[in-house]
């Protein structure tokens, strides 16, 4: 929940209450309240139609079976990972090597069942809600189906991934009836604007009229640089949005092309 709240705050949606015991939190948007819910519950709740939108993992959307009733509006680029089948290191080389009848510990009951059914593997699903990676060590299961980000947690418990089931990350989801609602579209636009602005900078520079073509030829832009004639002198102001990674070399090229008075400012949002 906290990464999602932090993302909303960075996007410009601030909470008006910070009590961790509060379930419903008002925001600086008068038409938007935040409801604290478990991410695994959000797909079904949003799909029911009384909640406009939610932030949850793609894995929970698929696991819920409500994916046909939901629209994934945005990939929020947080909570990235993969749902994998993992086993004790060195015991089996692949899922194809797994014998029928093995026990699989997971909280992803539907995902795991469908995966093994499609692979023609008869398995016993053991439902657990946490600490999945320790289940083989405790003798509760032979393999696990769980989310993996870097693989460090699996390795610490003597496990290794055998196969990936799907990739996941946090998504902004809405019910199909809500997807085109004004508040949902506004929320998606603001969050997407924040995400688009990451690693981008606005560059302003002054350019003599006789060097304008040279400067524009080396200046990248979303579409094309903006150019405005200054009130005094035979000068132009040029500004454009640029990837921050390109800035050091780009500034040197712009200076060589005739640019002056270069100003670089961060972007809060880039709403396309």
């Amino acid at each position: 929940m906290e990464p999602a709240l932090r993302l909303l705050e960075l996007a410009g949606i601030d909470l008006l209450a910070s009590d961790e015991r509060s379930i419903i939190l008002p925001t600086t948007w008068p038409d938007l309240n935040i409801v604290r819910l478990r991410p695994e519950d959000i797909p079904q709740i949003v799909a029911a139609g009384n909640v406009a939108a939610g932030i949850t993992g793609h894995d929970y959307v698929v696991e819920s079976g409500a994916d046909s009733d939901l629209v994934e509006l945005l990939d929020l680029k947080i909570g990235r990972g993969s749902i994998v089948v993992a086993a004790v290191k060195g015991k089996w080389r692949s899922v194809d090597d797994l014998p029928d009848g093995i026990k699989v510990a997971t909280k992803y009951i539907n995902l795991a069942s469908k995966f093994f059914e499609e692979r023609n593997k008869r398995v016993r699903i053991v439902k657990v809600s946490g600490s999945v990676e320790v289940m083989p060590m405790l003798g509760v299961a032979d393999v696990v189906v769980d989310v993996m980000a870097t693989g460090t947690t699996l390795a610490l418990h003597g496990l290794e991934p055998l196969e990936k089931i799907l990739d996941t990350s946090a998504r902004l989801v809405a019910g199909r009836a809500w997807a085109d609602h004004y508040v949902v579209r506004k929320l998606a636009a603001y969050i997407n604007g924040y995400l688009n602005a990451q690693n981008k900078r606005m560059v302003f520079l002054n350019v003599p009229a006789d060097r304008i073509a040279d400067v524009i030829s080396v200046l990248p832009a979303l579409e094309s640089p903006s150019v405005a004639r200054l009130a005094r002198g035979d000068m132009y102001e040029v500004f454009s949005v640029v990837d921050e990674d390109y800035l050091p070399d780009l500034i040197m090229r712009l200076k060589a092309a005739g640019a002056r008075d270069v100003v670089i400012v961060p972007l809060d949002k880039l709403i396309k």
Side-chain angles (χ1 to χ4, degrees), residues 57-62 72 75 78-84 108 111 146-149 163-171:
H58 174 64
D59 50 337
Y60 291 131
V61 172
V62 178
E72 292 190 353
D75 182 344
I78 57 176
R80 290 186 177 277
S82 299
I83 308 303
V84 300
Y108 298 104
L111 274 171
D146 201 16
V147 64
M148 178 185 76
E163 189 169 323
K164 178 171 68 177
I165 297 178
L166 62 79
D167 291 318
T168 187
S169 61
R171 309 289 169 92

Side-chain angles (χ1 to χ4, degrees), residues 28 31 67 77 109 147 149 151 158 199 213 218 250:
T28 48
D31 51 2
D67 43 327
K77 316 297 185 185
I109 305 301
V147 64
N199 204 41
V218 300
L250 176 62

Side-chain angles (χ1 to χ4, degrees), residues 8 12 38 48 65 68 76 107 117-118 134 138 147 175 211 231 248 252 254 272:
L8 292 175
R38 298 194 312 164
S68 62
L76 302 179
K107 63 180 177 181
E117 181 179 344
E118 290 176 347
V134 79
L138 297 177
V147 64
R211 304 300 298 274
M252 300 306 295
L254 289 171
K272 298 182 179 180

Side-chain angles (χ1 to χ4, degrees), residues 91-153:
K91 190 170 184 178
W92 293 292
R93 295 177 60 186
S94 72
V95 169
D96 292 333
D97 296 333
L98 298 177
D100 285 339
I102 62 167
K103 292 179 288 185
V104 180
T106 186
K107 63 180 177 181
Y108 298 104
I109 305 301
N110 296 326
L111 274 171
S113 298
K114 182 180 179 182
F115 173 80
F116 286 108
E117 181 179 344
E118 290 176 347
R119 299 298 292 270
N120 295 314
K121 292 289 182 181
R122 294 189 298 274
V123 301
R124 294 172 55 195
I125 303 294
V126 180
K127 183 179 180 179
V128 293
S129 58
S131 302
V132 177
E133 63 277 351
V134 79
M135 296 303 154
M137 188 182 301
L138 297 177
V140 174
D142 303 294
V143 301
V144 302
V145 171
D146 201 16
V147 64
M148 178 185 76
T150 64
T152 301
T153 302

Side-chain angles (χ1 to χ4, degrees), residues 32-272:
L32 182 69
N33 289 327
I34 303 298
V35 183
R36 293 179 186 266
L37 298 168
R38 298 194 312 164
E40 55 266 43
D41 294 334
I42 289 174
Q44 290 286 4
I45 292 171
V46 174
N50 292 320
V51 175
I55 293 176
T56 188
H58 174 64
D59 50 337
Y60 291 131
V61 172
V62 178
E63 171 66 16
S64 72
D67 43 327
S68 62
D69 298 318
L70 298 173
V71 179
E72 292 190 353
L73 299 172
L74 291 176
D75 182 344
L76 302 179
K77 316 297 185 185
I78 57 176
R80 290 186 177 277
S82 299
I83 308 303
V84 300
V85 180
V88 174
K89 188 174 183 180
K91 190 170 184 178
W92 293 292
R93 295 177 60 186
S94 72
V95 169
D96 292 333
D97 296 333
L98 298 177
D100 285 339
I102 62 167
K103 292 179 288 185
V104 180
T106 186
K107 63 180 177 181
Y108 298 104
I109 305 301
N110 296 326
L111 274 171
S113 298
K114 182 180 179 182
F115 173 80
F116 286 108
E117 181 179 344
E118 290 176 347
R119 299 298 292 270
N120 295 314
K121 292 289 182 181
R122 294 189 298 274
V123 301
R124 294 172 55 195
I125 303 294
V126 180
K127 183 179 180 179
V128 293
S129 58
S131 302
V132 177
E133 63 277 351
V134 79
M135 296 303 154
M137 188 182 301
L138 297 177
V140 174
D142 303 294
V143 301
V144 302
V145 171
D146 201 16
V147 64
M148 178 185 76
T150 64
T152 301
T153 302
L154 291 178
L156 286 173
H157 293 86
L159 305 178
E160 63 180 352
L162 300 181
E163 189 169 323
K164 178 171 68 177
I165 297 178
L166 62 79
D167 291 318
T168 187
S169 61
R171 309 289 169 92
L172 176 67
V173 301
R176 295 194 179 277
W178 282 93
D180 200 41
H181 190 278
Y182 173 76
V183 173
V184 174
R185 289 189 290 110
K186 180 173 66 170
L187 177 64
Y190 252 64
I191 295 174
N192 200 34
Y194 167 76
L195 296 174
N196 288 336
Q198 300 310 292
N199 204 41
K200 296 283 196 302
R201 295 292 182 266
M202 180 70 82
V203 178
F204 297 87
L205 46 140
N206 292 333
V207 185
D210 61 347
R211 304 300 298 274
I212 192 73
D214 296 332
V215 168
I216 290 178
S217 69
V218 300
L219 183 62
L222 294 176
E223 293 186 10
S224 67
S226 297
V227 179
R229 191 178 186 92
L230 297 183
R232 298 178 181 176
D234 199 16
M235 296 283 292
Y236 288 84
E237 180 186 43
V238 179
F239 50 98
S240 184
V241 176
V242 176
D243 284 337
E244 186 177 24
D245 294 341
Y246 301 148
L247 274 177
D249 290 331
L250 176 62
I251 296 305
M252 300 306 295
R253 293 171 62 197
L254 289 171
K255 294 287 289 181
R260 306 177 185 173
D261 310 321
V262 180
V263 177
I264 302 168
V265 297
L267 287 183
D268 183 55
K269 293 177 187 66
L270 178 57
I271 299 175
K272 298 182 179 180

